């Protein structure tokens, strides 16, 4: 029995489990959903009343690749689209970036001023937006334009929360209005 995110009802499903992955303190099952005829990513915490059928067998497809379902540190977001992402980090972030592998396709190149350029190809951009925001002023999105727009939009919404609540110090409000 499984309840999908955002659904208000449970459904009884049969899944052929292809892989189990631990990501950000949760276990996910990537498997073939027999009723839908497609591979799905399911959060194990949402499963209940599970049963293991010992008299049924299935074959793991030859073309199955777990990397298509888990984008390195970007997790479970999957998309048929592919996005070339280029971000540049300042010198203060360079050493840390060089020691991390966030995606299997990533390539690093030195840039002027001691920074580093990270290039990778990912599916869904949703987790990349959050990742870029975590770096604050240490990173700048070069491409794609869609990622730039989404990051800027999130930053603007975050500022609006403080401006609307009246919590933003007067000096910060003045500086923002002056463009600095």
């Amino acid at each position: 029995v499984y309840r999908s995110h955002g659904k208000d009802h449970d459904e009884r499903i049969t899944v052929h489990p292809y892989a189990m992955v631990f990501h950000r303190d949760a276990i996910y099952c990537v498997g073939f959903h027999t009723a839908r005829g497609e591979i799905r990513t399911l959060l194990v915490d949402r499963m209940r009343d599970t049963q293991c059928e010992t008299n049924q067998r299935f074959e793991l497809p030859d073309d199955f690749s777990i990397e298509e379902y888990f984008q390195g540190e970007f997790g479970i977001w999957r998309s048929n689209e592919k996005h070339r992402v280029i971000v540049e980090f300042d010198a203060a972030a360079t050493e840390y970036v060089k020691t991390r592998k966030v995606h299997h396709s990533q390539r690093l190149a030195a840039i002027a001023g001691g920074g580093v350029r990270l290039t990778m190809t990912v599916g869904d951009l949703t987790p990349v937006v959050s990742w870029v925001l975590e770096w604050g002023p240490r990173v700048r999105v070069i491409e794609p334009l869609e990622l730039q727009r989404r990051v800027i939009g999130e930053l603007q919404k975050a500022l609006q929360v403080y401006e609307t609540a009246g919590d933003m110090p007067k000096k910060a409000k003045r500086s923002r209005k002056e463009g600095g």
Side-chain angles (χ1 to χ4, degrees):
V1 176
Y2 190 76
R3 180 174 296 192
S4 296
H5 176 71
K7 302 282 181 170
D8 60 355
H9 64 281
D10 294 341
E11 62 179 321
R12 181 164 291 284
I13 63 173
T14 300
V15 176
H16 298 164
Y18 292 170
M20 303 291 276
V21 177
F22 185 71
H23 178 72
R24 294 195 178 185
D25 298 325
I27 300 172
Y28 295 88
C29 171
V30 178
F32 184 75
H33 188 301
T34 59
R36 292 188 181 178
E38 63 185 13
I39 297 175
R40 300 286 310 275
T41 302
L42 307 168
L43 180 61
V44 172
D45 288 346
R46 291 192 189 133
M47 295 179 184
R48 46 185 196 84
D49 299 329
T50 58
Q51 298 173 5
C52 181
E53 298 292 337
T54 58
N55 60 348
Q56 293 184 9
R57 301 278 185 254
F58 64 88
E59 295 284 327
L60 187 65
D62 291 334
D63 62 348
F64 176 75
S65 169
I66 193 63
E67 285 80 17
E68 289 183 32
Y69 294 86
F70 286 84
Q71 301 188 100
E73 285 193 16
F74 301 121
I76 63 167
W77 299 87
R78 184 172 187 268
S79 173
N80 291 328
E81 290 184 63
K82 298 294 180 207
H83 301 275
R84 180 174 181 228
V85 172
I86 300 175
V87 291
E88 290 183 349
F89 294 89
D90 68 10
T94 295
E95 190 60 36
Y96 185 79
V97 172
K98 285 182 175 180
T99 63
R100 304 289 296 180
K101 182 148 186 157
V102 295
H103 195 268
H104 65 88
S105 71
Q106 83 179 38
R107 301 289 177 262
L108 299 175
I111 58 173
V116 66
R117 173 180 280 185
L118 185 148
T119 303
M120 61 186 163
T121 302
V122 301
D124 195 300
L125 291 174
T126 303
V128 182
V129 172
S130 297
W131 176 72
V132 168
L133 291 169
E134 288 175 22
W135 286 96
R138 303 264 171 247
V139 67
R140 184 170 68 99
V141 174
I142 305 302
E143 65 179 63
L145 187 57
E146 176 187 352
L147 179 58
Q148 270 186 359
R149 288 180 178 148
R150 289 173 68 177
V151 168
I152 290 167
E154 290 297 313
L155 290 169
Q156 288 172 336
K157 286 186 245 178
L159 281 171
Q160 286 174 353
V161 168
Y162 289 97
E163 290 171 342
T164 303
D167 294 342
M168 185 178 279
K170 289 178 184 172
K171 183 178 177 183
K173 284 182 184 178
R174 253 194 326 272
S175 175
R176 184 155 143 62
K177 286 180 182 174
E178 295 166 3

